[in-house]
Amino acid sequence: MTDTTEGSGRRPRAEHKGNGVLTFLRDLVIIFLAALLVSFLVKTFLIRSFYIPSESMENTLQVNDRVIVNELVPDVVSLKRGDVVVFKDPGGWLTGTNVPGVAPTTQPAKAIDWLLTQVGLGTGDSDDHLIKRVIGLPGDKVTCCNDLGQMSVNGVPIKEPYTLLPGGAPASADPFSVTVPEGTIWVMGDNRNDSKDSRYNRDTPSKGFVPLSDVTGRAFVISWPTSRWTWLDDYPDVFAGVEEKDR
């Protein structure tokens, strides 16, 4: 009988199995890199996660809540009065502030947080951002307070159910009257008596206004802790009278 296996061109079984493992690992790396790229693009253009470091938005947001931010606002989707927005410090807003953070302490935790931040699921860059509610859009005149202690936008008094205030307290402890310049917004914290918002940053380079170019996006849901999961309301009824006057 003639032995026909030698020189038949077949690879040894062990070599074939080894190549299969290498192919699997190569495909796994490609899938991982593709997923990382997609996640990075999602973070860059669609959504990001931030944590809440202070009491300035209570009771709407609590310290260490996590929120998901829609980054299509305001470049693709316009901002509305009442939106809760995350924005970069326009300059001087965070100077001298001392807000608690939730930065990881161990090296593995730091590495995981860094990776999650790169794909939009971590909160590693929250310390450089602020979160407030939009009260005035470009061109709006925002004043406080009338005889009832209410704030007015373009002469229309508004009732604000989202604010944390002692009973009967005015919408702002300090009166003000501003006209919002083009390309900027006027923002305030829901915890009116404990928020370093537009009212108290008028000595900064931005004069208390937030440039639209500094807005990262609109916060639309509390994602963590799960017991606090809820959509964030922009309270269109509050500003309905202002909208009607705009028309």
Side-chain angles (χ1 to χ4, degrees), residues 52 54-63 65 133 161-165 189-192 222 228 230 232 235:
I52 307 306
S54 73
E55 299 90 353
S56 70
M57 283 296 291
E58 291 182 349
N59 281 326
T60 303
L61 298 172
Q62 305 292 327
V63 174
D65 278 353
R133 191 179 297 275
Y162 44 78
T163 54
L164 176 62
L165 285 166
D190 289 356
N191 188 354
R192 287 292 161 78
I222 299 174
R228 297 252 316 134
T230 186
L232 291 174
Y235 294 90

Side-chain angles (χ1 to χ4, degrees), residues 171-224:
S172 175
D174 298 298
F176 64 88
S177 178
V178 298
T179 299
V180 185
E182 288 302 315
T184 68
I185 53 176
W186 178 266
V187 298
M188 298 175 70
D190 289 356
N191 188 354
R192 287 292 161 78
N193 291 338
D194 191 13
S195 176
K196 191 172 182 288
D197 51 37
S198 286
R199 295 169 294 169
Y200 304 111
N201 284 287
R202 284 182 279 177
D203 58 346
T204 64
S206 70
K207 308 298 182 185
F209 304 102
V210 178
L212 290 173
S213 58
D214 286 338
V215 176
T216 300
R218 176 178 66 87
F220 66 94
V221 67
I222 299 174
S223 59
W224 188 264

